[in-house]
C-alpha cells in the first residue's frame, strides 16, 4: 500500500507533533502547517490525499481555510477537527464540502480510520 500523503493543519505544535508521529507509524507521509495560510500555500505546492484541519486557529479559521482549499481542489477530502460542538460551524463546513467532523480530543485509531475512509472515497470519485 502506498503512503497516504496527509496535511495536518493545527496551530498547536504539540498536537501536530504527536499526531504526526502516530500517523508516520501507520504508513503516512505527514506535512504540517501551523496556520490556514500555510496550509493553502502547501496545497498549491504539493499533492495530498487528505487534510486534517482544526477549526479554531488565529488569523484564518478552519472554515475559511476549508473554503479556500475547496477552491483549489474540490476533490481533496478535508476532515475538520474541533474542540467545540457548534452545530452552525458543522453545517457550514459540511455545506462547503468537508468530508467529516470529529470532536477533539480524538483517538488516533478513530482519526486514522476516518483518514482511510476519506482517501478511499476520493479514489472512488476520481475518473
Amino acid at each position: 500500500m502506498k503512503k497516504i500523503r496527509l496535511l495536518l493543519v493545527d496551530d498547536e505544535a504539540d498536537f501536530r507533533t504527536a499526531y504526526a508521529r502516530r500517523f508516520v507509524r501507520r504508513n503516512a507521509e505527514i506535512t504540517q502547517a501551523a496556520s490556514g495560510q500555510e496550509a493553502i500555500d502547501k496545497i498549491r505546492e504539493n499533492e495530498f490525499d487528505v487534510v486534517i484541519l482544526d477549526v479554531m486557529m488565529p488569523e484564518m479559521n478552519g472554515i475559511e481555510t476549508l473554503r479556500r482549499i475547496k477552491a483549489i481542489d474540490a476533490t481533496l477530502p478535508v476532515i475538520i477537527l474541533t474542540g467545540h460542538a457548534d452545530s452552525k460551524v458543522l453545517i457550514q463546513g459540511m455545506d462547503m464540502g468537508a468530508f467529516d467532523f470529529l470532536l477533539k480530543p480524538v483517538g488516533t485509531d478513530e482519526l486514522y480510520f476516518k483518514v482511510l475512509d476519506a482517501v478511499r472515497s476520493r479514489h472512488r470519485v476520481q475518473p
Side-chain angles (χ1 to χ4, degrees):
M1 180 173 155
K2 75 173 194 141
K3 286 188 181 242
I4 295 170
R5 296 165 301 181
L6 190 151
L7 177 60
L8 183 56
V9 187
D10 197 301
D11 60 312
E12 295 177 35
D14 290 344
F15 177 87
R16 288 193 321 271
T17 301
Y19 277 87
R21 270 193 235 129
R22 294 171 189 166
F23 277 95
V24 164
R25 288 192 296 257
R26 287 174 168 84
N27 200 37
E29 180 182 304
I30 306 299
T31 302
Q32 297 183 38
S35 69
Q37 186 58 55
E38 185 179 356
I40 298 303
D41 294 342
K42 289 184 184 292
I43 288 169
R44 286 186 176 129
E45 297 166 1
N46 305 287
E47 270 192 48
F48 295 100
D49 297 310
V50 63
V51 176
I52 297 173
L53 176 64
D54 187 33
V55 169
M56 298 300 291
M57 294 185 294
E59 297 171 33
M60 184 189 314
N61 69 29
I63 297 301
E64 177 60 20
T65 304
L66 172 64
R67 187 184 69 71
R68 293 182 186 196
I69 288 171
K70 290 300 183 174
I72 296 166
D73 183 352
T75 68
L76 181 59
V78 179
I79 299 167
I80 303 277
L81 297 182
T82 182
H84 311 284
D86 182 342
S87 60
K88 178 182 167 195
V89 170
L90 174 106
I91 292 167
Q92 192 177 17
M94 296 308 281
D95 285 348
M96 285 187 200
F99 179 77
D100 209 342
F101 265 82
L102 294 172
L103 284 175
K104 281 183 174 180
V106 61
T108 305
D109 287 341
E110 180 182 5
L111 185 54
Y112 179 69
F113 289 124
K114 192 60 69 177
V115 164
L116 290 177
D117 288 345
V119 171
R120 285 186 201 114
S121 76
R122 183 177 197 195
H123 291 298
R124 280 193 301 265
V125 172
Q126 290 184 343

